[in-house]
Amino acid sequence: AAKKVAKSFTVDCSGPAEDEIFDVAGFEKFLHDKIKVNGKAGALGDAVKISRDKSSVTVNAEAPFSKRYLKYLTRKFLKKNELRDWLHVIADSPNSYELRYFEIQGDDEGDDE
C-alpha cells in the first residue's frame, strides 16, 4: 500500500478579511462543500481536514491533493462573491497562498495601455 502523505496548504486572507470584504468562515464552508474526495464533493471523511485561524484557512489533506486545486477553488469562491476584480491568489510559499489586492495603476505611470 502506498504510504499516505499528508500535505498542508494555507490560504492567507488577512488583507481582505481585515477590510471585511472577505468572509473567511464562508470560505471555509465553501471548501468543505466543494473539495472532492474520490470524485465526491462534500464527503471529506478523514482525508481532508480544514481549519480556520482568524484570517487564514488551512487544508490538511492526504495526497493526492494538489495545491493548484486549492487555488482553483479559491478563485471560484472569489468569483462567486464578485471579488475577482479586486483580489487575486498569489503563491507566497511552496505550500501557501495569499489573497492580495490587485495593484491599482497610479497616475504616475507614463505609458498608457
Side-chain angles (χ1 to χ4, degrees), residues 7-23:
K7 296 179 178 175
S8 171
F9 302 113
T10 306
V11 180
D12 177 3
C13 323
S14 49
E18 278 165 22
D19 295 341
E20 299 184 357
I21 66 164
F22 188 85
D23 175 9

Side-chain angles (χ1 to χ4, degrees), residues 78 83-84 86-90 98-103:
L78 291 176
L83 295 170
R84 281 289 277 131
W86 311 108
L87 299 170
H88 55 161
V89 188
I90 298 286
E98 184 185 343
L99 294 183
R100 283 202 201 142
Y101 288 102
F102 284 111
E103 295 293 321

Side-chain angles (χ1 to χ4, degrees), residues 19-112:
D19 295 341
E20 299 184 357
I21 66 164
F22 188 85
D23 175 9
V24 185
F27 178 51
E28 182 188 24
K29 180 174 185 335
F30 176 83
L31 289 178
H32 259 292
D33 298 343
K34 295 287 184 198
I35 288 178
K36 290 185 175 177
V37 177
N38 299 328
K40 286 199 182 73
L44 299 184
D46 294 332
V48 179
K49 301 228 179 339
I50 302 174
S51 55
R52 175 165 49 105
D53 160 58
K54 279 212 240 49
S55 57
S56 62
V57 173
T58 303
V59 177
N60 283 312
E62 288 168 7
F65 186 88
S66 74
K67 182 180 175 193
R68 207 174 169 84
Y69 179 48
L70 185 59
K71 179 174 186 178
Y72 160 78
L73 288 169
T74 305
R75 288 170 70 170
K76 223 170 146 75
F77 181 78
L78 291 176
K79 179 117 181 87
K80 190 178 118 180
N81 290 284
E82 296 174 4
L83 295 170
R84 281 289 277 131
D85 294 343
W86 311 108
L87 299 170
H88 55 161
V89 188
I90 298 286
D92 60 342
S93 84
N95 56 4
S96 73
Y97 284 118
E98 184 185 343
L99 294 183
R100 283 202 201 142
Y101 288 102
F102 284 111
E103 295 293 321
I104 306 299
Q105 298 302 312
D107 295 335
D108 53 2
E109 310 280 315
D111 56 321
D112 33 71

